Amino acid sequence: MEGSTLKKYPFKPLSTYREYPIGEMRARLEEFYESVNRRRTVREFSGRVVPRDIIENALRAAGTAPSGANLQPWHFVVVSGAETKKRIREAAEVEEREFYEHRATPEWLAALEPLGTDSNKPFLETAPYLIAVFLQKYGRLPDGRKVKHYYPVESTGLASGLLITALHQAGLVCLTHTPSPMRFLNELLDRPLSERPFLLLVTGYPADDAKVPDIERKPLEEFTSFVED
Ligand SMILES: Cc1cc2nc3c(=O)[nH]c(=O)nc-3n(C[C@H](O)[C@H](O)[C@H](O)COP(=O)(O)O)c2cc1C
């Protein structure tokens, strides 16, 4: 945005902050870790209905994510209509077939092999919700001027992480799906080209007999270092 000075926000006391005694801090984190450690990506969904207010509240949680310059550069499209889900499935499977048969490098296919994924995506029609996450490269002021967004990838990633965690907290499951490329989502969901499809979160209850790959998570020591001097 050119030649404009944004007004400084009024400042207010940090009344939302809560401090906990150390013991309670530990207990809260233990409980939180126990919960998020049970989250798994699911690829077999039940068609069971999920009330829309549950999804709305999970999205509210996602909308609390920090973002570069507080520009909140994301948009979520919640799809529950059978016709649109079918169109998304058809378009995604076209891209996925192209990916598995031609575009994917041998290394990429080798990395996917243990997960057993393929170009068939029935869950795009079975699951009650497809939440398409869009990243906004820039926003618009009411007078139409462009506002550059800072760190939109990082910000939208954080909002998506919160959304996945919120859905898990509610007892739902999701699949972080990234048919590549995903531009077809702009057309099918009528989103402007200034928005980049970021993720398609397939959301609902797991199928009764859902199975997940028996993967392992790196232990803390393997992905963390501490610098204490
Ligand atoms: C950015 C991103 C893209 C992903 N894309 C796909 C995908 O297109 N299809 C799929 O089946 N899983 C996809 N996944 C899910 C991962 O395979 C999954 O998170 C990983 O195997 C770890 O399993 P977990 O989520 O159960 O811990 C994606 C995950 C992320 C974070």
Side-chain angles (χ1 to χ4, degrees):
M1 186 180 41
E2 281 169 47
S4 116
T5 42
L6 293 174
K7 269 220 315 255
K8 199 169 173 188
Y9 295 113
F11 276 58
K12 62 176 190 178
L14 178 58
S15 56
T16 50
Y17 173 73
R18 301 276 179 281
E19 179 178 322
Y20 305 104
I22 295 295
E24 194 180 335
M25 224 185 237
R26 292 201 174 97
R28 289 173 70 93
L29 270 181
E30 238 169 68
E31 198 182 322
F32 183 70
Y33 171 64
E34 188 280 323
S35 169
V36 293
N37 195 30
R38 283 188 289 101
R39 183 206 56 79
R40 290 303 314 274
T41 291
V42 166
R43 296 177 181 83
E44 292 157 300
F45 285 80
S46 139
R48 262 169 81 194
V49 172
V50 175
R52 179 171 139 170
D53 66 289
I54 303 283
I55 303 298
E56 285 174 350
N57 274 336
L59 287 165
R60 278 191 185 96
T64 67
S67 63
N70 189 37
L71 292 167
Q72 304 167 54
W74 46 66
H75 185 88
F76 299 87
V77 181
V78 183
V79 180
S80 55
E83 191 47 45
T84 307
K85 286 196 285 183
K86 182 164 180 271
R87 281 200 221 112
I88 290 176
R89 176 183 180 179
E90 282 165 1
E93 286 185 341
V94 168
E95 297 297 355
E96 291 283 293
R97 270 195 296 277
E98 178 64 20
F99 172 81
Y100 280 93
E101 288 164 22
H102 304 291
R103 242 190 353 257
T105 59
E107 290 83 3
W108 199 336
L109 288 178
L112 290 173
E113 172 99 40
L115 294 173
T117 54
D118 61 28
S119 59
N120 244 347
K121 307 295 173 193
F123 48 74
L124 292 175
E125 284 191 86
T126 325
Y129 291 104
L130 306 180
I131 307 177
V133 184
F134 287 87
L135 171 164
Q136 298 176 327
K137 287 178 278 189
Y138 55 85
R140 291 269 181 203
L141 290 175
D143 65 10
R145 278 179 301 164
K146 270 190 188 178
V147 184
K148 183 173 163 45
H149 283 164
Y150 300 96
Y151 298 108
V153 178
E154 292 82 350
S155 306
T156 308
L158 289 164
S160 302
L162 266 177
L163 177 57
I164 292 168
T165 309
L167 293 168
H168 169 73
Q169 198 66 13
L172 296 172
V173 293
C174 59
L175 161 63
T176 312
H177 188 34
T178 43
S180 156
M182 286 193 278
R183 272 292 177 194
F184 64 85
L185 287 173
N186 286 76
E187 199 190 317
L188 289 181
L189 301 177
D190 201 19
R191 298 307 303 171
L193 289 175
S194 56
E195 294 187 359
R196 171 154 80 72
F198 190 70
L199 299 172
L200 188 57
L201 280 182
V202 185
T203 303
Y205 291 100
D208 285 340
D209 53 354
K211 291 205 169 45
V212 290
D214 190 5
I215 57 166
E216 296 209 339
R217 293 188 167 128
K218 291 180 184 173
L220 178 73
E221 310 72 53
E222 220 177 284
F223 66 85
T224 321
S225 27
F226 291 84
V227 177
E228 290 180 323
D229 60 359

